């Protein structure tokens, strides 16, 4: 049992902020096998005061950018709290079928999604906590996200294409799920091998 499990979410968040201050604003991303990735995150209930929450958001944003990634859930930095950040500049490319349009930076607390319609999308997906690999995952093409933002305002938004995949992936993290749980594992490929097979 790791010691951090005996600390409150607030104490753990304080520690992460201190660690980040000593490491250029970045904290380590935990990897598959760490139990924190497999537990249901504690719902946001105002555990962190506004200043600490703002500092934590900054740590998560900086860590996500550094990785680099387009989403980061709190359990991925070892914090079992139902919180995630997302941001994607998008890759507008007429030949890219993934509909990877820009997703402006956002923070979600207690996110929940539901599929809208029957349409699905099937693409390779990776995770900062399963370093070096990707696998094909079929997901709903369009989802409705409900959550609270960092200022306590309700979020109720529809997403499609690649942003919908990001929303689902990050929300799944908060339920102790990894993309490999939903993947066609026969497609599991190292990033290196995927690059070899990709003309780009
Ligand atoms: Zn992930």
């Amino acid at each position: 049992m790791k010691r951090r499990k005996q600390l409150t979410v607030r104490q753990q968040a304080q520690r992460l902020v201190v660690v980040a201050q000593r490491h250029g604003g970045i904290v380590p991303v935990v990897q598959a096998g760490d139990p924190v990735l497999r537990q249901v995150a504690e719902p946001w209930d105002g555990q962190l005061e506004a200043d600490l929450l703002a500092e934590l958001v900054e740590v998560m944003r900086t860590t996500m950018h550094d990785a680099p990634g387009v989403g980061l859930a709190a359990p991925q930095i070892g914090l079992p709290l139902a919180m995630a950040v997302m941001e994607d500049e998008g890759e507008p490319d007429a030949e890219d079928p993934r509909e990877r349009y820009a997703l402006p930076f956002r923070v979600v607390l207690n996110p929940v999604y539901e599929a809208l319609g029957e349409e699905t999308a099937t693409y390779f997906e990776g995770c900062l906590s399963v370093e070096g690999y990707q696998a094909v995952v079929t997901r709903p093409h369009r989802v409705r996200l409900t959550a609270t933002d960092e200022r306590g305002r309700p979020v109720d938004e529809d997403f499609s294409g690649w942003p919908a995949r990001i929303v689902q992936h990050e929300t799944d993290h908060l339920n102790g799920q990894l993309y490999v749980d939903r993947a066609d594992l026969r497609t599991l490929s190292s990033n290196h091998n995927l690059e070899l097979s990709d003309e780009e």
Side-chain angles (χ1 to χ4, degrees), residues 76 126-129 169-170 173:
Q76 293 184 274
C127 177
L128 298 176
S129 295
H169 180 114
E170 300 311 328
H173 269 301

Side-chain angles (χ1 to χ4, degrees), residues 86 111-116 119-121 125 137-145 159-175 177-179 182:
M86 306 174 220
V112 175
Y113 68 83
E114 59 174 310
L116 296 175
E119 193 184 345
T120 58
E125 187 172 323
V137 185
T138 297
R139 293 184 178 275
H141 174 259
R142 197 157 160 256
V143 295
R144 175 185 180 189
L145 171 73
F159 294 87
S160 62
W162 200 252
R165 182 169 295 261
I166 297 170
V167 162
Q168 293 172 66
H169 180 114
E170 300 311 328
T171 302
D172 288 351
H173 269 301
L174 306 177
N175 294 313
Q177 296 169 355
L178 296 175
Y179 81 92
R182 299 171 182 271

Side-chain angles (χ1 to χ4, degrees), residues 66-124:
D66 176 69
V70 295
L72 187 69
Q76 293 184 274
I77 57 168
L79 185 68
L81 179 64
M83 170 180 177
V85 296
M86 306 174 220
E87 182 178 20
D88 190 9
E89 290 179 357
E91 280 184 4
D93 177 351
E95 291 181 9
D96 187 338
R98 298 177 300 175
E99 300 173 59
R100 190 173 169 183
Y101 53 79
L103 177 66
F105 180 78
R106 68 183 60 223
V107 179
V108 289
L109 301 162
N110 299 338
V112 175
Y113 68 83
E114 59 174 310
L116 296 175
E118 303 289 310
E119 193 184 345
T120 58
T122 300
Y123 295 111
F124 272 99

